[in-house]
Amino acid sequence: MSYPKAEMAAGAVPPGPAPVVAQPGAAAPTQWAAAGQAPPGCPKGLEYLASVDQLLVKQKVEAIEAITGFETNNKYEIVNSLGQRVYQAVEDTCCCTRNCCGSSRPFDIKILDNRNTEVIHLSRGLRCSSCWCPCCLQRVTVEAPPGQVVGYVSQAWSLCKPRFKIENAEGETVLRIKGPCCQWEMCGDIEFDVHTEDETTFVGRVTKQWTGLGKELFTDADNFGISFPVDLDIKMKAVMIGAVFLLDFMFYENNKKKNQDDAKKVMG
């Protein structure tokens, strides 16, 4: 099974009726993906997910944050395997919360379509993530459209390896995510496997992609590939997107210092 890569997404040329001519030296503009046929009961704005089985979530590098270390609101681009933008996402958290609570901060993330309309809303409260606090583990609420809960991403208790549950609006477990014991690897991808509720069948994967030594060491901007069955309930696809943001904040946000220390150990 293959997964979209940032390099492929950046260089892919999506089909269209006419080419876009860019000025010399200018970056080619990212085109928006066309909305697919909305299945029955599809929340407005999620029709873009109807025919996809892979997505790439790319966090944008913030120059001020990279230079000063001052935590800014995260921004992301969600693209398909052709490099076409499906959504863009922006964090909506106050300055004090970002810089005092760090990666443990409560957050609200707005996922916007090509009309800049919020179609998915993600929210996380201030909670624990330690196995010593099993009654207050991480949970992200996914709303699509905002105000209508379609599911949750809930951390499951585990001693060593991270475990998560993809739940529907009633709190029933639909899928399970199982991660590795070590969530950092030099020059390699980190994979979180997705299984059915009974854990008997592998159905997809969330992959934290290696973005290069410089980017890994000096920024906390990350890329994630997601794969899931193309016929998965469209609401659960939205919840899977929410799982990416929870994994990013839990394991890879504010990881610049840790990556530098780990790289020094690996290099001797």
Side-chain angles (χ1 to χ4, degrees):
M1 185 180 295
S2 60
Y3 303 93
K5 282 283 189 179
E7 293 80 4
M8 177 186 65
V13 180
V20 177
V21 179
Q23 295 295 325
T30 302
Q31 293 189 9
W32 284 89
Q37 183 67 36
C42 173
K44 186 175 181 180
L46 298 193
E47 58 270 12
Y48 295 91
L49 302 177
S51 59
V52 300
D53 61 356
Q54 296 184 46
L55 291 170
L56 177 69
V57 180
K58 302 190 297 181
Q59 184 176 352
K60 297 181 180 179
V61 177
E62 299 294 332
I64 294 178
E65 183 175 329
I67 296 171
T68 66
F70 184 83
E71 189 69 36
T72 60
N73 274 323
N74 290 344
K75 299 180 179 66
Y76 305 82
E77 188 177 49
I78 303 173
V79 302
N80 60 22
S81 57
L82 295 175
Q84 298 169 325
R85 183 184 296 143
V86 180
Y87 299 116
Q88 55 187 358
V90 292
E91 179 187 0
D92 184 15
T93 308
C94 75
C95 175
C96 181
T97 300
R98 290 195 309 272
N99 289 279
C100 292
C101 299
S103 60
S104 300
R105 63 186 180 266
F107 64 69
D108 287 278
I109 293 178
K110 300 178 179 180
I111 299 181
L112 313 172
D113 64 9
N114 61 350
R115 298 181 179 86
N116 212 37
T117 301
E118 184 178 5
V119 295
I120 304 174
H121 186 89
L122 310 176
S123 58
R124 176 183 76 162
L126 186 62
R127 302 172 69 95
C128 297
S129 59
S130 170
C131 62
W132 303 112
C133 300
C135 60
C136 193
L137 295 176
Q138 296 290 306
R139 195 182 206 203
V140 168
T141 301
V142 182
E143 302 171 22
Q148 181 65 47
V149 174
V150 295
Y152 305 91
V153 186
S154 298
Q155 182 185 8
W157 185 90
S158 178
L159 190 59
C160 296
K161 298 181 178 181
R163 297 286 187 269
F164 300 89
K165 297 181 292 183
I166 301 296
E167 301 172 339
N168 60 20
E170 289 71 41
E172 301 167 336
T173 301
V174 178
L175 300 171
R176 294 183 183 272
I177 299 177
K178 303 167 67 175
C181 185
C182 178
Q183 291 85 48
W184 193 87
E185 183 177 342
M186 188 70 173
C187 303
D189 295 346
I190 301 126
E191 296 176 341
F192 295 79
D193 291 340
V194 183
H195 295 80
T196 53
E197 188 277 332
D198 57 7
E199 301 189 27
T200 59
T201 307
F202 171 83
V203 296
R205 181 169 288 150
V206 178
T207 304
K208 161 62 174 68
Q209 298 179 347
W210 173 258
T211 56
L213 188 62
K215 191 172 181 181
E216 293 285 344
L217 293 185
F218 300 110
T219 76
D220 56 13
D222 302 300
N223 293 336
F224 290 85
I226 327 171
S227 69
F228 38 66
V230 68
D231 59 350
L232 179 67
D233 186 311
I234 203 164
K235 297 178 182 178
M236 293 303 99
K237 291 183 180 182
V239 180
M240 283 289 296
I241 293 175
V244 170
F245 292 95
L246 180 58
L247 292 174
D248 183 32
F249 273 81
M250 285 186 65
F251 302 120
Y252 306 106
E253 181 72 5
N254 291 348
N255 63 351
K256 179 171 63 175
K257 179 66 167 59
K258 177 181 181 300
N259 286 353
Q260 291 172 345
D261 293 341
D262 290 345
K264 290 177 182 178
K265 293 177 184 178
V266 172
M267 295 175 180

